[in-house]
Amino acid sequence: MTAPTHPGDRPSLRTFVSALAVTGVLSALLVCAAVAVAPGSVRTPLAAGGAAAALLLSAAVATAAQARQTARDARRRLESVTQDVGRLLQQQARTTEEARREQQRLIDELAQQRTEFTESFTAERARLEEEGARELDRLRRENARLTDEGERARRDRAAAISATSNTAARMQALATATLADLRAMEDRHADEDVLADLLHLDHRTAQAGRLADSIAVLTGARSGRRWARPIAMESILRGAMGRIAGYRRVRVHSVSETAVAGHAAEGVMHALAELLDNAANFSPPTAEVHVYVEEVPAGIIVSVEDSGLVMGEVQLRRAERAVAGDTAELGGLTGTRLGLAVVGRLARKHGLKVSFRPSARGGTGVLMLVPQDILTSPAPAAPAVAAPRPESAASAPSPDAVDAAPAPETTAPPEEGPAGLPKRRRGRTLAAAERGRSAPDGAASRTAPGTDEGKTRAARFSSFRQAVRPAAPAAAAPSQDGPAPEPSHAPAPDDRALAPDPAQAPAPHDRAAVPPPGTAPDSRPGGHPSSGAGEHSSPAPSHPHTHTHTHPEGDTTS
Amino acid sequence: MNRPGRDDAPDRLYTITQGRSRSSPDDPFDLVTLVVAESDPVAGMQSEHAAILKLTRFPTSVAEIAAELRLPVGITKVLLSDLSAAGRVSARHPRRPAITDPDILEQVLVGLRNL
């Protein structure tokens, strides 16, 4: 029975074998002794039984010894394991303790650092806040200054624009009045030299007026002129031509009889004038500028073709942008390039569409689409105010027969207004209109004898007579008209006709080129006097070509 | 005109005649020349030309044409010269009146006044 430290089969087997051997030897001795002692008769069974018993005994002892050995080994192993477990537990406890301490240390450290950081952060934040406040304050001051500056600039700009627009409006008014004066003078002076000079002045004034119009458009002033009636396309084109320097080089190809509504006519005319001016200025001084008018479903396309400079791609784009009218700023303006900006403003206002393209003539072509909604037919509107003429009442019944309104397509103007009321034509008295209404047939009223007819003849003759009498100063007739007030200060024809005593009013529409006295009656049949003198001061109408400026008191209806 | 620019036409006179203000020296027109149209207006014509042609279907004096067109006589003459050069109108000078003696006219006048 050794105590092997290493449990295993071999030691247990050795214990088993040694125990078996010891027990076997002892048992064998014992059996042998017993056999030797025993009588011979029982010796053989005794030997057999003893041997068997000895074998059994040996096996039992050996087995017990091995079991004991095995139990001892197991106990020893158990003790060792228990010891290991205790050691491990101790170690674990130690480790846990260490970890706890370490953790605590770290926690403390962390807390400390956090505190430090918090403090430094707080300090930093306070510093930054202070700095930020200072910066903010500075910026706020800067902002206030800039706002102030901007406000001042805006006020300055508004004031400047307002002043400019005001001035432009006054210049427009002056130009318009001057043009009207010039027109009256052109009517008054028959001398061709004077007329040429007046036309020259007229042209210059029209160009100045266009410049004023441009400034007015750019500064957003109200359009200077408004036309009370639709303006025929031909007049639109002419009005545009008349405002540019090189109008003689413009060739118009138009058969359109459309008209532009009165409120938009000025804008269309002005835009066209700018386009024509561009075309004329950017083409050789001898080259012609061709204007074509084409009616399309969307309206009217006016194309202006020059044979001057070809615009490059960039220039075309820039021009398109300028006339698109989407920039309301004045910043891009230069002194010499007002035109397209003006066109852009007008295009936006009136819905015109302007586009540029290279022209087949070698230069640049501009297409301007005048939309349908500002177009109108001249026919219905023309009779109402068509071409007011200072015709006298004597010829009033007849003009329908030989009506020569400037728009040739107009029908004969009705003598009655829409409500059936007598319609007074410009330069006619109401009585004359009433007469014309009662005798709509002009020829009949002219030939039919009657008191009115007699008065008419008397008036004609009186005018004739008065014209004849001062035969010598007949040539000085226009000079007698000289002291007449300026047409711009004279009452308008409407006011004049409404005045109770029309004879006192001057006649702005007087034609200086009336025929010499004594020749006029040839141009019209009739004219036999049926009543005496004195009729001439009545408001009875007189012949349009018989009155002269020498007899303002007889000049009642011109 | 206290409402300038409102009632007159937008086209200036020089645009009507392409800047000419005097007719040619051999111009046959004076104030009493009778003008007769030789053709009808055609499309595309200047409106004044068309108006003159319509007006002069019957012989009409220059002064009357100018009055109807509301144009100065000088301008009207230029227009008529154009038409005449194109053969669209012809001019007719009025016959000299048989009686040109101012004395006779004066007597007639006196007689008429005494009626």
Side-chain angles (χ1 to χ4, degrees):
Chain A
M1 302 297 182
T2 60
T5 52
H6 298 295
D9 286 343
R10 276 172 60 97
S12 65
L13 190 62
R14 206 166 53 199
T15 308
F16 180 74
V17 170
S18 61
L20 185 63
V22 171
T23 316
V25 170
L26 289 179
S27 336
L29 287 178
L30 199 55
V31 167
C32 285
V35 165
V37 170
S41 63
V42 277
R43 209 170 269 179
T44 303
L46 183 61
L55 279 177
L56 282 175
L57 182 65
S58 299
V61 168
T63 304
Q66 197 209 357
R68 191 167 156 241
Q69 182 67 30
T70 305
R72 197 184 300 153
D73 287 349
R75 195 174 305 125
R76 200 178 300 142
R77 215 180 299 167
L78 182 65
E79 277 173 11
S80 136
V81 167
T82 308
Q83 274 181 356
D84 282 350
V85 167
R87 206 174 59 241
L88 283 175
L89 278 177
Q90 273 184 355
Q91 198 171 344
Q92 189 196 14
R94 219 171 32 245
T95 312
T96 307
E97 178 65 18
E98 270 176 22
R100 204 180 52 76
R101 274 205 305 275
E102 186 67 13
Q103 192 188 13
Q104 186 59 44
R105 194 179 60 78
L106 286 176
I107 286 175
D108 290 349
E109 210 168 290
L110 196 61
Q112 190 190 352
Q113 279 184 357
R114 200 168 60 187
T115 315
E116 279 174 16
F117 279 139
T118 308
E119 280 171 4
S120 78
F121 278 160
T122 311
E124 186 74 5
R125 202 168 88 184
R127 195 177 62 78
L128 285 177
E129 268 179 2
E130 193 185 345
E131 256 175 40
R134 268 205 310 275
E135 188 72 6
L136 190 68
D137 195 38
R138 195 179 63 76
L139 287 177
R140 194 176 291 134
R141 274 201 310 275
E142 185 79 0
N143 190 20
R145 191 176 63 78
L146 288 178
T147 308
D148 198 36
E149 228 165 69
E151 182 62 33
R152 208 164 47 237
R154 203 157 41 237
R155 264 203 316 273
D156 284 356
R157 179 179 177 277
I161 283 191
S162 159
T164 313
S165 122
N166 222 325
T167 312
R170 284 163 60 188
M171 279 164 61
Q172 272 183 310
L174 267 180
T176 310
T178 310
L179 285 176
D181 291 355
L182 282 168
R183 184 66 176 82
M185 292 180 204
E186 283 156 11
D187 279 334
R188 201 157 57 222
H189 298 291
D191 186 0
E192 287 189 342
D193 291 331
V194 177
L195 182 60
D197 289 348
L198 285 175
L199 290 184
H200 184 72
L201 284 180
D202 197 335
H203 186 205
R204 287 284 163 90
T205 312
Q207 292 178 72
R210 176 169 67 92
L211 203 53
D213 288 346
S214 291
I215 299 172
V217 167
L218 288 177
T219 52
R222 205 172 61 86
S223 171
R225 285 186 237 180
R226 282 167 194 277
W227 304 97
R229 61 177 192 276
I231 304 291
M233 207 60 210
E234 185 186 35
S235 292
I236 294 274
L237 291 170
R238 278 192 197 152
M241 280 166 58
R243 298 175 191 189
I244 70 169
Y247 71 95
R248 287 186 184 86
R249 289 157 49 204
V250 179
R251 296 282 173 275
V252 175
H253 311 270
S254 163
V255 293
S256 174
E257 294 186 353
T258 324
V260 178
H263 67 92
E266 179 65 25
V268 174
M269 227 182 292
H270 189 187
L272 256 179
E274 296 293 346
L275 294 178
L276 285 175
D277 196 38
N278 267 359
N281 284 342
F282 289 104
S283 57
T286 53
E288 293 183 342
V289 175
H290 289 260
V291 180
Y292 300 90
V293 178
E294 184 188 356
E295 295 186 15
V296 294
I300 277 192
I301 287 185
V302 182
S303 56
V304 178
E305 311 255 346
D306 64 46
S307 48
L309 297 175
V310 182
M311 291 171 85
E313 194 65 32
V314 178
Q315 287 172 300
L316 280 179
R317 268 207 307 278
R318 192 181 304 149
E320 297 263 5
R321 211 167 44 238
V323 301
D326 46 5
T327 56
E329 294 303 314
L330 298 172
L333 290 181
T334 62
T336 54
R337 299 237 169 174
L338 296 178
L340 290 184
V342 171
V343 174
R345 296 289 184 89
L346 292 169
R348 191 173 47 174
K349 183 174 174 192
H350 297 299
L352 312 172
K353 289 188 181 61
V354 183
S355 57
F356 294 83
R357 56 173 172 72
S359 165
R361 313 190 73 87
T364 302
V366 190
L367 296 183
M368 185 171 95
L369 172 71
V370 184
Q372 196 75 52
D373 52 357
I374 60 171
L375 293 179
T376 170
S377 166
V385 280
R389 282 168 297 170
E391 59 194 356
S392 69
S395 63
S398 65
D400 294 352
V402 288
D403 194 3
E409 66 278 1
T410 58
T411 57
E415 286 291 318
E416 294 185 3
L421 297 171
K423 191 168 180 61
R424 181 180 59 78
R425 297 178 70 98
R426 176 182 292 280
R428 287 178 61 189
T429 58
L430 187 60
E434 191 63 52
R435 257 199 316 280
R437 192 165 72 117
S438 62
D441 185 358
S445 79
R446 202 191 312 176
T447 56
T451 52
D452 286 340
E453 185 65 13
K455 281 180 183 173
T456 304
R457 288 179 180 170
R460 278 185 195 160
F461 183 71
S462 67
S463 294
F464 165 58
R465 183 174 55 82
Q466 300 235 351
V468 168
R469 188 176 287 160
S479 68
Q480 290 196 11
D481 191 48
E486 285 294 314
S488 64
H489 302 140
D494 284 351
D495 302 343
R496 180 161 40 84
L498 287 170
D501 186 4
Q504 298 300 324
H509 280 297
D510 274 352
R511 285 180 292 278
V514 293
T519 56
D522 289 342
S523 64
R524 196 172 281 278
H528 296 297
S530 61
S531 61
E535 288 285 342
H536 62 271
S537 60
S538 75
S542 61
H543 193 277
H545 306 306
T546 53
H547 69 259
T548 67
H549 302 288
T550 55
H551 310 290
E553 74 276 11
D555 193 16
T556 58
T557 56
S558 62
Chain B
M1 300 216 179
N2 53 4
R3 288 190 306 169
R6 200 174 167 85
D7 295 324
D8 49 355
D11 24 20
R12 313 304 305 169
L13 290 180
Y14 48 87
T15 59
I16 295 176
T17 60
Q18 289 287 317
R20 293 162 299 162
S21 60
R22 55 192 84 210
S23 44
S24 51
D26 53 347
D27 158 40
F29 300 103
D30 61 17
L31 284 176
V32 292
T33 308
L34 291 180
V35 182
V36 189
E38 298 287 344
S39 71
D40 282 332
V42 295
M45 212 175 218
Q46 200 179 339
S47 66
E48 285 79 15
H49 285 171
I52 289 175
L53 291 183
K54 278 175 77 176
L55 199 61
T56 56
R57 288 206 180 108
F58 303 102
T60 313
S61 70
V62 173
E64 194 160 358
I65 294 170
E68 291 290 350
L69 294 183
R70 285 196 64 207
L71 292 175
V73 175
I75 300 292
T76 311
K77 280 188 193 171
V78 174
L79 293 172
L80 286 172
S81 299
D82 290 348
L83 285 172
S84 170
R88 292 193 177 276
V89 298
S90 57
R92 239 186 254 170
H93 286 277
R95 266 187 307 136
R96 305 295 296 168
I99 304 169
T100 52
D101 189 356
D103 290 339
I104 297 179
L105 287 176
E106 185 114 26
Q107 286 175 21
V108 171
L109 190 57
V110 170
L112 289 173
R113 203 183 300 149
N114 292 336
L115 280 179

